[in-house]
Amino acid sequence: MAKRYYDLTVAGCKRSLPILNLSHSLAIAGFVMLGDVELCESCARELAKKVPAEAEIIMTAETKGIPLAAELARQIGMPYYITARKSVKAYMEDPIWVEDESITTMGKQRLYLMRSDIDRIAGRKVLLLDDVISTGGSMTALSNLAEKAGAHVIGQAAVLAEGDAAKRTDIIFLEALPLFEAE
């Protein structure tokens, strides 16, 4: 059980986030949207106001971005969104992949797209979406994967920008989230 918490208000929703050590010096506030319908709906509603009008499809990475992508796509009238998977499934024909490194995932992982998703985004204007942008590693991997599939990335969006990411002017986000010293 966490000993410290960070109180966050985003899109009108108040949440108390546990502060979790990632290393001996770095801690983060654990922001998890999975299962939080009110938070997903509210954040998607606010992000919808900021989505570039030319966006044709949303692309996210498995897992935490999925409910947000589904709700944002629904709210802006997109009939489909793309999910980059973290492993190859039996139904995934001719997958392509890139490597991903994130501060919340131990070690490197891969992100995969199957042929039907590649065909769906090739030549289209794609908005990349995640719950949190921190170091930008996951967004870089998503961008590389989208471009490998022939898509044109027109923006990167998240609910929160963590640490130095909040200083970036090239991303869309709703609130800043600080980093913490580990205890």
Side-chain angles (χ1 to χ4, degrees), residues 57 59 80-85 91-93 112-122 149:
I57 195 159
M59 181 172 159
Y80 200 87
Y81 65 93
I82 301 294
T83 302
R85 304 297 306 264
Y91 56 81
M92 295 175 69
E93 294 183 3
Y112 299 88
L113 282 182
M114 61 185 163
R115 173 53 50 198
S116 60
D117 286 338
I118 296 165
D119 294 343
R120 191 178 301 272
I121 67 171

Side-chain angles (χ1 to χ4, degrees), residues 91-124:
Y91 56 81
M92 295 175 69
E93 294 183 3
D94 303 321
I96 61 172
W97 61 272
V98 297
E99 284 197 346
D100 176 22
E101 197 164 359
S102 163
I103 69 167
T104 56
T105 302
M106 299 300 248
K108 291 186 180 186
Q109 63 184 3
R110 288 184 177 176
L111 293 178
Y112 299 88
L113 282 182
M114 61 185 163
R115 173 53 50 198
S116 60
D117 286 338
I118 296 165
D119 294 343
R120 191 178 301 272
I121 67 171
R124 302 203 51 209

Side-chain angles (χ1 to χ4, degrees), residues 21-38:
N21 291 342
L22 288 184
S23 70
H24 69 282
S25 60
L26 178 65
I28 61 168
F31 180 73
V32 179
M33 298 184 76
L34 289 173
D36 193 330
V37 175
E38 177 192 29

Side-chain angles (χ1 to χ4, degrees), residues 99-102 134-142:
E99 284 197 346
D100 176 22
E101 197 164 359
S102 163
S134 188
T135 63
S138 294
M139 280 295 183
T140 297
L142 271 177

